[in-house]
Amino acid sequence: MAAERLPSGFEPAPFLKTLTHRPGVYRMLDVGGVILYVGKAKDLKKRVSSYFRKNVSSPRIRSMVQQIAAVEFTVTNTEAEALILENNLIKAHRPRYNVLLRDDKSYPYIYVSTEDRFPRIAFHRGSRKQPGRYFGPYPSAGAVRETLNLLQRLFRVRQCEDSFFANRSRPCLQYQIKRCTAPCVGYIDSAGYRADIQRAVRFLEGRSDAVIGDLVKDMEQAAERLEYERAAQLRDQIEALRQISERQYVSGSGDRDLDIVALALEGGAACVQVFFIRGGRNLGNKSLFPRVPDDMPADEIMQAFLGQYYLEREPPSEIILSHAPAEQELVAEMLGEQAGRRVALTSAVRGERARWLKLAERNALEALQARSASRAGVTQRLEALQEALELDAPPARLECFDISHTRGEAAVASCVVFGSEGPLKSDYRRFNIEGITPGDDYAAMHQALTRRYTRLKENDAALPDVLLIDGGRGQVAEAERVLAELQLDQVMIVGVTKGEGRRPELDTLTMSGGEGTRRLPHNSPALHLVQQIRDEAHRFAITGHRQRRAKARTDSPLQAVPGLGPKRRQVLLKHFGGLRGVSRAGVEELSKVPGISRRLAEQVYAYLHTNG
């Protein structure tokens, strides 16, 4: 693989004469060195030359060519290798004229720790290096949790962490509500539990019929032994399993793994709907909204989507498509190289497969229309807010802050950001509040705003047009002081105060600059937008506060003792029956615990009685 760069201010003709006919990837750059477009070619000379012809019909291509100041290219061994490199570069640089897929979050899986004596089944996201079995991907965390709940109800297998499992002396609540057989305390032996796990695994593999067959045999044997309660339990399990299997089974798919990918285009926007079929079971679907350049045909959009979507995901053995990609054989070859096996791409399907593809297409179009309507609604609300606040233009960026704590404990400030497309969740931030008098909301707000806008100012980042504060006159005054110190006078500050009896229609806006308060009509789109942003800031703050409070309450004071690692902490807590027992013990008693030297016992005693 070799790379070259063409200097800026070039004339295309001399360069094109020397360009190679080998496959590779090319990058178009503007005068600032920003990549405008990344493309791949079977023949670099022919493909790059096509951009500089006089009869280019596409306005998008003509606009891009006018901005080209430099070209970089990389020669590859094969066209499939070039396609993989192209998608990696698009992901890394996000060029303006390429199709861009904004879906960096890895998809979740179900993990089965098959190497353990009593395996657990759990939610998993991230690398799949730990020994065991992985099932998925699932389209969302909700789909995984729904399946985990089904597995607990059907097979009563454990989902608890190993540390929780290892330290049980009696069954937990999951046993009481018939969601676990309590292997932690020996209520089921290894062989019996292993049988439940094997059935759960076969269910996840899509082999529900085999599981039902085994359960029927067990039911008949239980009836023969006159174990009627056990037989009734198995009967109910069989019935539940049959109902679930009928609901999830995708006819026409056999037991194969496949994805159904449908593209919808409308008004210059695109939506791709992906249905996940694994082992003949429908795991759910997901809507994705890639950014597409104007006038790009559907076959090119589909090709770009497939290349980026499966760049870091293992493709299934078959992918059913609403639109055949521009270079279908090449895309199939690339996906096959990534998967290490053949991947079939099909778009001409009949029977049940055609029905499922039609369903995916309908979902894609409805999701796109719903998103467009939502955007139109946001635009209307922003225009109403412009009028209500007497702004020169609709605000392009709004930020809202809220503080959450429990009687001053574990205070957290939230910052949520909204733009013309709605919430910008990648810009959300939380701030753990430290070093203030517990419960002082003004000091907490001062600290959060100072940290936020000092950082934005240092990085020359985008500032909000409107800053919303959950609070009244005092909170607004605090925000005014912070922004004045940072010389950010261009930001409008608005306080949002809840109405009497927490009635939304009585919410009041407190304006900065001593302009008093305003109450908008209860049906005002501007008021609805402000309330939506305020409520989102509250949700984000209270979630962060609860997480911080839970962590603080579960952390042991013993963690701060030098030389006292997790195993020794556990030994101490078990020996004395908890932290209270450790606190009451003297140095002599502490030093008698296996693994605790006298010096370490003195350190533990001194720490607990100095900081306790």
Side-chain angles (χ1 to χ4, degrees):
M1 194 181 285
E4 292 187 34
R5 178 173 181 170
L6 189 67
S8 60
F10 72 98
E11 289 292 332
F15 165 68
L16 294 173
K17 285 181 181 179
T18 61
L19 193 56
T20 178
H21 285 279
R22 293 180 62 188
V25 173
Y26 54 92
R27 280 96 63 200
M28 309 296 198
L29 289 79
D30 66 12
V31 290
V34 176
I35 296 178
L36 297 167
Y37 182 76
V38 175
K40 68 103 189 101
K42 183 178 181 180
D43 183 320
L44 278 169
K45 188 182 186 76
K46 287 183 180 179
R47 185 72 185 98
V48 176
S49 298
S50 68
Y51 289 96
F52 300 100
R53 294 175 186 151
K54 293 182 179 179
N55 59 348
V56 174
S57 59
S58 167
R60 172 176 60 91
I61 299 299
R62 289 200 302 269
S63 172
M64 182 186 73
V65 170
Q66 290 172 0
Q67 300 174 59
I68 294 174
V71 176
E72 294 179 348
F73 64 92
T74 303
V75 176
T76 60
N77 295 313
T78 66
E79 191 178 5
E81 186 181 309
L83 188 55
I84 293 172
L85 176 60
E86 175 195 31
N87 288 306
N88 275 301
L89 290 173
I90 291 171
K91 181 180 176 66
H93 297 288
R94 308 189 68 77
R96 175 183 172 188
Y97 287 93
N98 283 98
V99 173
L100 298 180
L101 177 62
R102 302 171 186 175
D103 186 46
D104 293 331
K105 194 172 185 180
S106 62
Y107 286 105
Y109 284 75
I110 287 177
Y111 169 66
V112 184
S113 61
T114 52
E115 303 295 311
D116 294 343
R117 183 165 178 249
F118 292 103
R120 65 186 285 257
I121 294 181
F123 178 99
H124 177 83
R125 196 194 294 273
S127 64
R128 287 173 280 152
K129 296 178 181 179
Q130 192 174 351
R133 295 282 305 275
Y134 296 86
F135 297 91
Y138 285 76
S140 65
V144 173
R145 294 189 182 101
E146 181 182 353
T147 303
L148 289 173
N149 286 335
L150 285 175
L151 291 171
Q152 271 196 317
R153 185 158 57 88
L154 290 170
F155 305 108
R156 298 176 67 181
V157 291
R158 77 176 184 97
Q159 295 182 17
C160 56
E161 294 289 342
D162 290 339
S163 56
F164 183 86
F165 177 82
N167 291 298
R168 295 301 300 176
S169 58
R170 59 181 180 177
C172 69
L173 180 63
Q174 296 300 319
Y175 174 78
Q176 306 294 336
I177 62 174
K178 302 188 186 311
R179 292 293 185 269
C180 182
T181 49
C184 53
V185 291
Y187 282 19
I188 185 172
D189 60 21
S190 177
Y193 187 82
R194 181 68 63 172
D196 289 338
I197 280 288
Q198 287 171 349
R199 286 169 181 160
V201 166
R202 278 186 287 174
F203 173 77
L204 290 170
E205 291 172 339
R207 297 161 58 195
S208 298
D209 289 344
V211 177
I212 290 172
D214 286 349
L215 292 173
V216 168
K217 289 180 184 177
D218 289 351
M219 180 182 69
E220 292 171 347
Q221 291 171 0
E224 289 174 3
R225 295 193 301 267
L226 305 182
E227 297 174 357
Y228 297 120
E229 186 176 343
R230 170 66 176 161
Q233 180 187 350
L234 290 167
R235 178 202 62 205
D236 295 342
Q237 190 177 5
I238 291 165
E239 182 59 28
L241 188 53
R242 279 187 172 141
Q243 290 178 1
I244 292 163
S245 299
E246 288 170 4
R247 191 169 71 239
Q248 293 186 332
Y249 179 66
V250 178
S251 58
S253 65
D255 290 334
R256 300 184 67 184
D257 294 347
L258 61 92
D259 285 348
I260 302 171
V261 182
L263 169 66
L265 295 168
E266 188 174 87
C271 174
V272 180
Q273 190 80 200
V274 182
F275 275 67
F276 302 78
I277 313 297
R278 295 295 181 269
R281 293 171 55 242
N282 180 11
L283 302 187
N285 58 297
K286 186 175 181 69
S287 299
L288 301 159
F289 300 91
R291 193 192 79 191
V292 297
D294 295 336
D295 72 27
M296 179 172 279
D299 60 346
E300 291 185 22
I301 294 173
M302 180 63 80
Q303 177 159 323
F305 173 84
L306 293 173
Q308 293 180 51
Y309 181 76
Y310 292 109
L311 186 63
E312 295 177 354
R313 299 180 181 91
E314 183 179 348
S317 56
E318 183 180 4
I319 304 173
I320 297 175
L321 306 168
S322 63
H323 299 77
E327 299 167 292
Q328 181 164 319
E329 291 183 6
L330 177 62
V331 174
E333 180 186 349
M334 177 199 71
L335 295 176
E337 284 187 14
Q338 289 181 227
R341 52 174 163 71
R342 182 175 177 272
V343 176
L345 302 180
T346 55
S347 53
V349 289
R350 295 182 295 178
E352 287 295 326
R353 291 179 169 221
R355 187 174 69 84
W356 278 97
L357 180 57
K358 198 73 178 174
L359 178 64
E361 290 174 333
R362 188 162 67 247
N363 272 270
L365 182 59
E366 289 178 358
L368 184 59
Q369 290 172 342
R371 191 169 193 248
S372 298
S374 175
R375 282 187 174 181
V378 172
T379 301
Q380 180 190 7
R381 289 179 174 192
L382 289 172
E383 290 173 349
L385 187 61
Q386 172 196 355
E387 183 178 346
L389 300 182
E390 300 174 3
L391 301 171
D392 295 332
R397 186 181 180 92
L398 302 98
E399 297 190 359
C400 183
F401 282 74
D402 189 21
I403 307 293
S404 181
H405 58 80
T406 302
R407 299 187 193 89
E409 178 190 1
V412 170
S414 70
C415 170
V416 302
V417 185
F418 274 59
S420 57
E421 297 184 0
L424 304 176
K425 295 196 174 184
S426 61
D427 290 350
Y428 283 19
R429 295 292 183 270
R430 287 194 185 107
F431 303 90
N432 289 338
I433 304 301
E434 307 283 1
I436 66 168
T437 302
D440 187 344
D441 285 352
Y442 294 146
M445 185 64 72
H446 189 283
Q447 183 180 130
L449 292 170
T450 301
R451 288 165 62 183
R452 170 68 170 173
Y453 293 113
T454 300
R455 191 169 303 161
L456 291 187
K457 190 171 183 181
E458 287 173 350
N459 297 327
D460 291 324
L463 293 168
D465 299 304
V466 177
L467 169 59
L468 300 172
I469 302 292
D470 185 20
R473 181 68 249 166
Q475 297 283 23
V476 169
E478 202 66 49
E480 287 177 327
R481 277 192 286 274
V482 172
L483 295 193
E485 289 169 7
L486 296 172
Q487 299 178 12
L488 298 175
D489 303 326
Q490 68 272 37
V491 179
M492 173 178 276
I493 303 170
V494 179
V496 188
T497 308
K498 294 181 178 66
E500 184 180 349
R502 305 183 75 86
R503 292 168 60 187
E505 66 272 19
L506 299 181
D507 284 359
T508 303
L509 304 185
T510 301
M511 311 305 295
S512 58
E515 294 185 18
T517 61
R518 298 180 190 177
R519 182 173 291 171
L520 301 180
H522 69 90
N523 60 349
S524 164
L527 177 62
H528 296 162
L529 176 61
V530 169
Q531 290 170 335
Q532 179 189 358
I533 299 173
R534 187 267 317 277
D535 293 344
E536 175 69 352
H538 181 68
R539 179 201 66 79
F540 196 55
I542 200 167
T543 302
H545 161 61
R546 285 172 177 167
Q547 290 171 349
R548 188 183 184 200
R549 184 183 63 188
K551 184 177 186 301
R553 290 180 178 180
T554 55
D555 284 351
S556 169
L558 296 175
Q559 288 177 304
V561 179
L564 192 65
K567 290 184 179 179
R568 287 177 175 173
R569 283 201 303 271
Q570 192 176 45
V571 168
L572 273 176
L573 292 169
K574 279 187 175 181
H575 185 88
F576 291 103
L579 183 61
R580 182 176 295 180
V582 178
S583 301
R584 290 174 175 173
V587 173
E588 290 296 331
E589 292 175 282
L590 291 169
S591 63
K592 290 177 182 178
V593 177
I596 306 296
S597 66
R598 184 171 182 85
R599 182 180 177 186
L600 185 55
E602 290 172 350
Q603 288 179 324
V604 171
Y605 183 87
Y607 182 83
L608 290 177
H609 289 78
T610 303
N611 299 279

